[in-house]
Structures are given as structure tokens and as C-alpha cells.
């Protein structure tokens, strides 16, 4: 395992900047907010809120996709960075295909994701679009020749989302429990986005603990080769159970990808939900929230009060709102994150 560690001076520059103007902007944070943000300078030390970035194998994202670390100033100066405004301040979520055996289960799961997204991007509105069947997208699909599960083509889904994107949308994200592929030569892809057009599509299919097992219920008979445009193959197609770990992984992926819509690049400073990931183990190592540098980027883009954002996140992770008697919200995997947010609030509310 390799540990990536920057000096406190380097992290200070990444967070605050050497720019006189951006330093002045940073000075407007309260002393409690600065105390929280500057906790990152002590990452990896006993009791620290933030952890160092680690690389466990050559297949991890940082080694496979070398990128220049993006500090706050580089983010601020991006010419194509999207910022919400009065006329475009809503995040839309579009469900594609089923997320459960009954419609009520899909609706319940989507409400949980919406609530989490609303708290994470505190200050913006998050709305659910009516769910659509795969057939409504008119997308191409195939059976994966290695894993024998159904897959749908990302490019076609992005074209569908482009037509569905409301005028007041900051961005629109499509989510599905069906595996994805970007082109015939690729085995699969977790998701694909067009950041300039504010849209993306992502699959949670491979977040099922059993996906890579031969016993996976989504595997089709090897001889089955459905005809294009015959969408009946998706009728009753397997969707994994909504477990606590699947909900956690879904929240990570959704907030990570929407983070990109704001122009936030993959994080290479500290352990952060904006880290890139090439595989499930690497994705699971990511925390559920931002490091201080990425938090400042998001706060600058939206303008939220940091303490109020964390308070809202705490209530959502613990809440059983929108839970029906048949579908209890699986929050066990969120317990460590809830305790972490409470520690952040202790810093933010100290001496108040």
C-alpha cells in the first residue's frame, strides 16, 4: 500500500490559494469554519477528521489515470465550470427501469436517494422525474459475453436524457439497476456523463454483493440472444435487494458524479468521495463526504452555510422519513459517517 501525503503548506495553498483575491474570499469564513477546513492539514494524525489518500494496487485510479491535482484556484479559474443560478438551480433524477419487484419499492428507494442528494447539495432543489421503462428510451442493448447479464448503451441513454432535461435544470442524472456499456469493444462502464451539457447516466448493478458470483441471479442463459428493440427481455429482469451497503454505494456514486457537474475534478489531495475509482474495492474505500478542498469548491459554487449542511445530512441519515411499513430504511452502513458528521458539527458549533 502506498500513502500519498502532502505537506501542510502544500495543502494550505490548495485550500486557500496564493491569489490575493481568493485569500480575501477565504477570510470571510468564520473561525469555526476555518478550523474545520484546516483540519485537513493534520490528515492521518491520531484523532484527525480527515484521512490520507492510499493506493492499494496498480489498478487503482490514481496510477491508472494520472491527473494533475486540482486545487481551489484551478477550480475557480476553469472556463467551463457550471454554477447554479436562479433560472437553473434544480438537480433532476431520472429512474430508468425497475429498482425492485414492486413499484412502491422503486419509489421508496428513489425518495431515499433524493433526500440524501438534497442534503448533500444543500441549497439546491432535487426533484424526481417520473420513472421510465427501458423501452421508452429506445436504447440499444446486449447480453455481455463474459458475465451474461443484460446491458444498455450509455450514448443512447444520454440522448434520451437530453430530450427530457427541464429548462430549470442545473443537471439531470439517469440512474438504473441495469448494467451499462459505452461501445461494443468495452466490457462495461459504471457510468458516463456530458459535463458541458449537465447530464449523466449511472448504473448501480455492480454494487450488488453477488454481481461477480456465478450464482448471480441477473445472469441469463448463455444461448439467449434477444433481438434489438425487443424490450420484453427486461420484463421482470432481476434487480438486487436494496441493502444498506447498496444504498451507501449508490449515494456515493450519485454525489460523486453530480460533483463533477459543478466542475470538480477527481480528488488527489486527501481521502474524499471525489476520488476516482476503477473497481468496487476502491470505491468502498472512499468516504461518504468531501475533503476540505472539495468542500470549499462546492460551498463556493452553491453558497450554503457549512454547519447547516451538516445538520441536514445528519437528520437525513438517521431519518426514517418516507419509510413505509414494508420497506424499512437500511441505514446501518451510514453509522460511521453519521458519527463523523457529528464531529464536524462539534467543531463548527464550538464557542457559539
Amino acid at each position: 500500500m502506498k500513502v500519498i501525503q502532502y505537506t501542510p503548506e502544500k495543502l494550505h495553498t490548495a485550500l486557500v490559494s496564493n491569489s490575493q483575491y481568493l485569500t480575501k474570499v477565504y477570510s470571510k469564513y468564520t473561525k469555526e469554519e476555518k478550523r474545520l477546513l484546516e483540519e485537513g492539514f493534520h490528515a492521518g494524525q491520531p484523532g484527525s477528521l480527515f484521512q490520507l489518500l492510499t493506493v492499494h494496487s496498480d489498478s487503482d485510479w490514481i496510477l491508472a489515470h494520472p491527473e494533475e491535482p486540482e486545487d481551489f484556484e484551478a477550480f475557480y479559474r476553469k472556463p467551463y465550470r457550471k454554477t447554479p443560478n436562479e433560472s437553473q438551480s434544480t438537480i433532476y433524477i431520472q429512474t430508468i427501469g425497475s429498482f425492485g419487484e414492486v413499484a412502491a419499492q422503486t419509489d421508496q428507494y428513489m425518495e431515499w436517494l433524493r433526500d440524501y442528494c438534497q442534503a448533500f447539495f444543500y441549497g439546491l432543489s432535487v426533484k424526481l422525474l417520473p420513472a421510465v421503462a427501458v423501452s421508452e428510451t429506445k436504447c440499444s442493448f446486449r447480453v455481455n459475453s463474459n458475465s451474461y447479464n443484460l446491458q444498455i448503451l450509455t450514448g443512447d441513454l444520454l440522448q434520451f436524457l437530453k430530450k427530457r432535461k427541464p429548462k430549470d435544470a442545473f443537471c439531470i442524472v439517469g440512474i438504473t439497476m441495469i448494467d451499462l456499456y459505452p461501445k461494443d469493444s468495452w466490457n462495461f462502464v459504471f457510468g458516463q456523463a456530458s459535463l458541458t451539457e449537465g447530464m449523466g447516466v449511472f448504473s448501480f448493478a455492480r454494487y450488488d454483493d453477488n454481481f461477480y458470483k456465478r450464482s448471480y441471479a441477473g445472469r441469463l442463459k448463455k444461448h439467449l440472444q434477444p433481438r434489438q428493440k425487443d424490450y420484453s427481455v427486461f420484463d421482470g429482469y432481476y434487480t438486487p435487494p436494496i441493502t444498506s451497503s447498496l444504498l451507501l454505494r449508490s449515494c456515493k456514486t450519485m454525489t460523486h458524479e453530480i460533483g463533477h457537474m459543478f466542475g470538480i475534478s477527481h480528488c488527489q489531495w486527501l481521502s474524499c468521495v471525489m476520488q476516482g475509482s476503477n473497481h468496487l474495492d476502491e470505491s468502498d474505500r472512499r468516504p461518504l463526504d468531501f475533503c476540505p478542498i472539495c468542500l470549499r469548491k462546492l460551498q463556493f459554487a452553491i453558497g450554503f452555510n457549512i454547519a447547516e449542511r451538516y445538520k441536514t445530512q445528519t437528520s437525513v441519515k438517521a431519518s426514517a422519513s418516507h419509510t413505509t411499513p414494508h420497506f424499512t430504511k437500511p441505514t446501518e452502513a451510514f453509522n460511521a459517517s453519521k458519527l463523523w458528521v457529528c464531529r464536524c458539527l462539534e467543531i463548527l458549533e464550538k464557542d457559539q
Side-chain angles (χ1 to χ4, degrees), residues 222-240:
K222 295 183 181 181
H223 66 269
L224 180 62
Q225 290 296 330
R227 299 188 306 275
Q228 286 297 321
K229 308 304 179 185
D230 180 10
Y231 296 101
S232 63
V233 70
F234 292 97
D235 295 342
Y237 184 62
Y238 172 75
T239 55

Side-chain angles (χ1 to χ4, degrees), residues 21-273:
Y21 170 72
L22 294 181
T23 301
K24 185 177 180 180
V25 173
Y26 181 81
S27 70
K28 295 179 181 179
Y29 285 115
T30 66
K31 66 177 182 179
E32 291 80 17
E33 289 171 334
K34 290 176 186 174
R35 188 183 300 149
L36 174 72
L37 293 170
E38 292 169 13
E39 270 283 314
F41 303 163
H42 314 295
Q45 295 181 13
S48 175
L49 272 175
F50 301 98
Q51 302 304 315
L52 299 173
L53 189 57
T54 58
V55 179
H56 292 243
S57 72
D58 291 342
S59 65
D60 281 5
W61 181 273
I62 285 183
L63 296 184
H65 303 275
E67 299 172 274
E68 188 69 22
E70 178 188 79
D71 58 22
F72 178 78
E73 184 173 348
F75 164 79
Y76 174 79
R77 300 193 185 284
K78 273 185 176 177
Y80 58 86
R81 178 169 58 83
K82 286 175 61 69
T83 301
N85 54 52
E86 290 185 4
S87 61
Q88 294 180 316
S89 60
T90 302
I91 297 170
Y92 283 94
I93 303 175
Q94 173 68 71
T95 309
I96 301 169
S98 173
F99 275 69
E101 295 180 358
V102 294
Q105 188 170 354
T106 298
D107 294 343
Q108 178 69 89
Y109 182 68
M110 292 310 303
E111 284 292 345
W112 291 335
L113 288 179
R114 192 207 71 82
D115 287 350
Y116 184 83
C117 193
Q118 180 84 67
F120 195 94
F121 298 102
Y122 182 70
L124 299 185
S125 174
V126 181
K127 296 181 180 179
L128 301 176
L129 292 171
V132 298
V134 176
S135 58
E136 294 180 62
T137 70
K138 296 182 170 56
C139 66
S140 299
F141 60 91
R142 72 180 186 184
V143 177
N144 184 289
S145 59
N146 297 312
S147 53
Y148 305 108
N149 60 290
L150 285 171
Q151 295 181 303
I152 47 184
L153 185 64
T154 54
D156 290 349
L157 296 178
L158 288 175
Q159 287 300 313
F160 172 77
L161 292 174
K162 186 175 182 179
K163 297 174 183 176
R164 297 271 290 187
K165 186 179 179 182
K167 292 183 179 180
D168 67 338
F170 169 69
C171 67
I172 180 172
V173 291
I175 60 174
T176 182
M177 281 293 189
I178 303 167
D179 205 23
L180 302 174
Y181 72 105
K183 52 186 177 181
D184 289 340
S185 60
W186 282 52
N187 183 34
F188 79 96
V189 70
F190 283 115
Q192 186 175 347
S194 173
L195 304 187
T196 55
E197 298 197 58
M199 59 186 188
V201 60
F202 318 104
S203 170
F204 302 146
R206 292 177 182 254
Y207 292 159
D208 182 357
D209 289 330
N210 297 315
F211 185 89
Y212 294 97
K213 297 179 181 178
R214 298 189 68 85
S215 59
Y216 177 62
R219 292 170 66 97
L220 302 177
K221 294 180 179 178
K222 295 183 181 181
H223 66 269
L224 180 62
Q225 290 296 330
R227 299 188 306 275
Q228 286 297 321
K229 308 304 179 185
D230 180 10
Y231 296 101
S232 63
V233 70
F234 292 97
D235 295 342
Y237 184 62
Y238 172 75
T239 55
I242 308 300
T243 62
S244 184
S245 61
L246 190 142
L247 182 60
L248 179 79
R249 290 164 175 167
S250 301
C251 288
K252 280 186 184 181
T253 295
M254 187 171 64
T255 52
H256 173 103
E257 299 299 346
I258 294 175
H260 283 319
M261 304 290 181
F262 289 86
I264 302 174
S265 296
H266 285 123
C267 183
Q268 299 191 50
W269 297 108
L270 298 167
S271 184
C272 176
V273 76

